[in-house]
Amino acid sequence: AQKVTQAQTEISVVEKEDVTLDCVYETRDTTYYLFWYKQPPSGELVFLIRRNSFDEQNEISGRYSWNFQKSTSSFNFTITASQVVDSAVYFCALSEARDDKIIFGKGTRLHILP
Amino acid sequence: DGGITQSPKYLFRKEGQNVTLSCEQNLNHDAMYWYRQDPGQGLRLIYYSQIVNDFQKGDIAEGYSVSREKKESFPLTVTSAQKNPTAFYLCASSIPEVGLNQPQHFGDGTRLSIL
């Protein structure tokens, strides 16, 4: 069975600090995709990244970076030099290649304090 | 601009009443989805449709119904059989490429409450 665990329910950091959001997943498939989405207070989910199971290279996009480690089934997300606009709920998600359905974690609510 | 439009933004339902949430997309995506989000919970799949005139139940379909008569539209009806409908409802769409699992694009959501 597929499962996504985001153990951190809520995190608060002061602006300009770095913060890492953890994501651990479970799947029996060898081909799968991992996603991160951001949900700002407005409500819509904003797609951040998609990574397939065969690509373990870390990715950096501006202040955002992602660390994918198959050995620990983790796909962690780091925000460097956090800003107040980063305050949101962040969801990690998993999709097995055999269908298009996405399983979401319960989300981590991130508060960036000025 | 291409995107997904959900309406209304807020909706109130009386006991025993059916209500319909609208979802329209102009992204030319074949696949569309409905999710329910409760406080502190992730998104749970209600129904999905990969092509016009076809749809499948998700994990929590009881008390809901959908139709997919047009590619761009996927309305969700919350029936009186859904005893706990208060939640935030999100519609999404994607390009269904088996094995490539393209990301889903989401609307702004509809918040449904019971009167």
Side-chain angles (χ1 to χ4, degrees):
Chain A
Q2 39 180 331
K3 184 179 178 182
V4 176
T5 301
Q6 295 180 254
Q8 305 149 308
T9 306
E10 204 158 342
I11 301 175
S12 294
V13 300
V14 176
E15 197 173 18
K16 298 183 184 174
E17 288 185 356
D18 299 347
V19 57
T20 296
L21 309 182
D22 297 333
C23 174
V24 174
Y25 63 91
E26 294 177 29
T27 178
R28 292 180 185 171
D29 280 15
T30 56
T31 305
Y32 53 88
Y33 292 81
L34 296 164
F35 303 83
W36 275 95
Y37 284 85
K38 173 182 180 180
Q39 185 178 40
S42 57
E44 75 173 290
L45 264 71
V46 177
F47 165 70
L48 296 178
I49 189 171
R50 162 179 166 267
R51 175 53 54 87
N52 77 55
S53 53
F54 298 107
D55 182 3
E56 286 193 73
Q57 281 194 8
N58 290 334
E59 179 150 344
I60 298 174
S61 176
R63 295 184 297 105
Y64 294 172
S65 63
W66 291 268
N67 183 350
F68 177 29
Q69 293 197 346
K70 285 177 78 169
S71 60
T72 55
S73 297
S74 65
F75 187 44
N76 297 337
F77 172 31
T78 297
I79 302 175
T80 303
S82 60
Q83 300 177 1
V84 172
V85 293
D86 296 326
S87 297
V89 181
Y90 290 86
F91 290 98
C92 180
L94 164 72
S95 183
E96 293 171 343
R98 59 179 134 162
D99 66 38
D100 280 329
K101 289 192 286 184
I102 296 181
I103 301 299
F104 288 85
K106 293 188 176 182
T108 296
R109 183 175 296 276
L110 178 63
H111 300 278
I112 307 299
L113 308 172
Chain B
D1 268 340
I4 299 177
T5 302
Q6 289 187 241
S7 61
K9 196 168 181 68
Y10 299 94
L11 186 58
F12 298 91
R13 195 192 90 167
K14 293 181 181 178
E15 295 284 346
Q17 187 182 43
N18 292 355
V19 292
T20 297
L21 284 60
S22 170
C23 178
E24 304 277 332
Q25 55 100 355
N26 60 5
L27 298 168
N28 201 33
H29 289 171
D30 283 309
M32 296 187 75
Y33 310 80
W34 273 106
Y35 292 90
R36 170 179 171 139
Q37 184 180 13
D38 293 283
Q41 300 295 315
L43 278 66
R44 292 184 290 167
L45 183 64
I46 305 172
Y47 269 98
Y48 64 104
S49 167
Q50 295 193 308
I51 198 167
V52 174
N53 292 323
D54 187 43
F55 50 83
Q56 284 80 41
K57 293 181 179 180
D59 301 318
I60 55 166
E62 187 174 346
Y64 301 97
S65 66
V66 293
S67 63
R68 186 82 188 280
E69 296 175 3
K70 297 187 297 182
K71 185 176 183 177
E72 56 271 19
S73 178
F74 191 40
L76 173 74
T77 297
V78 183
T79 74
S80 56
Q82 173 48 246
K83 297 307 178 189
N84 183 22
T86 298
F88 188 55
Y89 291 86
L90 283 157
C91 178
S93 71
S94 72
I95 301 170
E97 294 185 88
V98 175
L100 292 181
N101 300 64
Q102 298 295 346
Q104 294 178 9
H105 300 265
F106 286 80
D108 287 346
T110 293
R111 194 167 297 280
L112 176 61
S113 303
I114 292 292
L115 282 177

